[in-house]
Amino acid sequence: MPSRVIVNADDFGLSEHTNAVILRAFHSGLISSATAMANMPAFKAACALAQQPALRGRVGLHFNLTYGRPLSKAIGQLPQFCTASGEFDLGVSRKCLRLGRAAREAVEEELAAQWQHCLNLGLMPSHLDSHQHVHNIWPIGEIVARFAAREGVPVRLARNLGHNINPAKRVFKRLLNRRLRQLAGATADYVCTPVDLRDGLAPADGLLEIVAHPSALGSHDFGDAYLGTGESLQALLEQRLAGVPRVGYGVLTATPVGSGLLGEKV
């Protein structure tokens, strides 16, 4: 089994209902981390909740380029990112390996705006990941990882456990994760979903992040968007990871770029 596990709930701030479920999941000990969406309606409330002792220092930024409206101007003028009305509508291929200068600068500006919005509301993000895994697109991942290094926070790797990762995608993820580690300096060792955990794919060692989207399952239990109807995320974690400490990304300290200290596994 892994030595430690980060159970991270994505989409904090998406809605008041999502906030309530995530807050309850923190207080129950189900999750140990979350990431917030800075351009969503319930984000301000999420930042206030993040000041509670159970959440403090355990909430990162869920960088968003696919839902809602941007917080910066330039990206709203680029059709590969937004509609004519200024709503996010990402048209960048998942196989894209390069963005033009204007697109890169717009992504950097939007990331900085979402980060600053966190700071303005009293939230110092503990780490960085992205909505719908947009930082798994190579040039966006490089932007996110460089930004994480500048801010001294870890970044989420691309999912590297799972039976449904074909050979070509596995090679791509290995190379991308190597690049993310090189640029950011601090990551977990492995990333998976609750389904991967259910399939018996927990690693034998290292720091594992489980990407979760918890839902209420009765008054004292939790399901997850990745699991089937009625499946308990709580029972799954207790069964597969009994005794493994649940931690936040604060256990990692970002390594300065260029230090060469890249001791994480791919």
Side-chain angles (χ1 to χ4, degrees):
M1 287 193 296
S3 58
R4 296 174 295 180
V5 61
I6 298 167
V7 184
N8 189 89
D10 290 358
D11 301 345
F12 200 29
L14 177 64
S15 68
E16 294 293 349
H17 174 73
T18 300
N19 284 0
V21 172
I22 289 176
L23 179 64
R24 187 160 68 86
F26 263 116
H27 284 301
S28 74
L30 178 83
I31 63 173
S32 57
S33 177
T35 37
M37 302 175 75
N39 68 329
M40 288 291 103
F43 176 68
K44 184 176 181 179
C47 288
L49 294 173
Q51 303 308 314
Q52 294 191 18
L55 286 69
R56 193 174 298 130
R58 292 174 177 263
V59 177
L61 173 61
H62 199 48
F63 181 44
N64 180 17
L65 292 176
T66 61
Y67 188 50
R69 301 183 71 89
L71 299 183
S72 59
K73 293 182 179 180
I75 202 166
Q77 307 303 313
L78 299 179
Q80 67 200 112
F81 293 101
C82 291
T83 65
S85 62
E87 296 280 338
F88 276 130
D89 184 22
L90 187 64
V92 178
S93 169
R94 292 276 167 174
K95 298 179 181 179
C96 173
L97 296 177
R98 184 181 179 279
L99 290 173
R101 179 177 177 179
R104 290 197 311 273
E105 290 178 350
V107 171
E108 290 168 359
E109 182 181 330
E110 179 61 21
L111 176 54
Q114 292 186 23
W115 183 272
Q116 187 61 46
H117 195 38
C118 293
L119 301 184
N120 290 346
L121 291 175
L123 173 64
M124 176 61 212
S126 60
H127 66 292
L128 264 167
D129 58 33
S130 63
H131 191 52
Q132 298 182 335
H133 312 292
V134 295
H135 78 291
N136 288 185
I137 300 171
W138 190 285
I140 295 176
E142 290 188 326
I143 291 168
V144 169
R146 287 191 176 101
F147 187 91
R150 289 197 299 270
E151 298 298 333
V153 299
V155 68
R156 174 187 286 168
L157 291 179
R159 172 172 162 259
N160 54 7
L161 297 174
H163 290 313
N164 62 338
I165 304 175
N166 65 43
K169 184 176 284 188
R170 195 171 295 277
V171 170
F172 175 81
K173 285 175 176 283
R174 185 180 297 273
L175 293 173
L176 174 62
N177 284 345
R178 183 177 297 167
R179 185 62 171 154
L180 293 176
R181 287 192 180 99
Q182 180 186 47
L183 293 174
T187 69
D189 297 306
Y190 304 97
V191 176
C192 75
T193 69
V195 171
D196 302 322
L197 188 66
R198 185 186 64 193
D199 290 345
L201 298 179
D205 57 11
L207 175 60
L208 169 67
E209 180 189 356
I210 299 172
V211 180
H213 296 81
S215 57
L217 189 63
S219 57
H220 301 290
D221 200 356
F222 297 88
D224 191 88
Y226 286 108
L227 299 174
T229 302
E231 282 190 87
S232 170
L233 176 61
Q234 186 167 287
L236 176 64
L237 293 173
E238 291 172 356
Q239 177 186 15
R240 297 292 187 182
L241 297 174
V244 178
R246 295 181 198 178
V247 299
Y249 263 102
V251 300
L252 295 173
T253 301
T255 303
V257 175
S259 70
L261 299 177
L262 305 173
E264 308 286 350
K265 299 180 181 68
V266 175

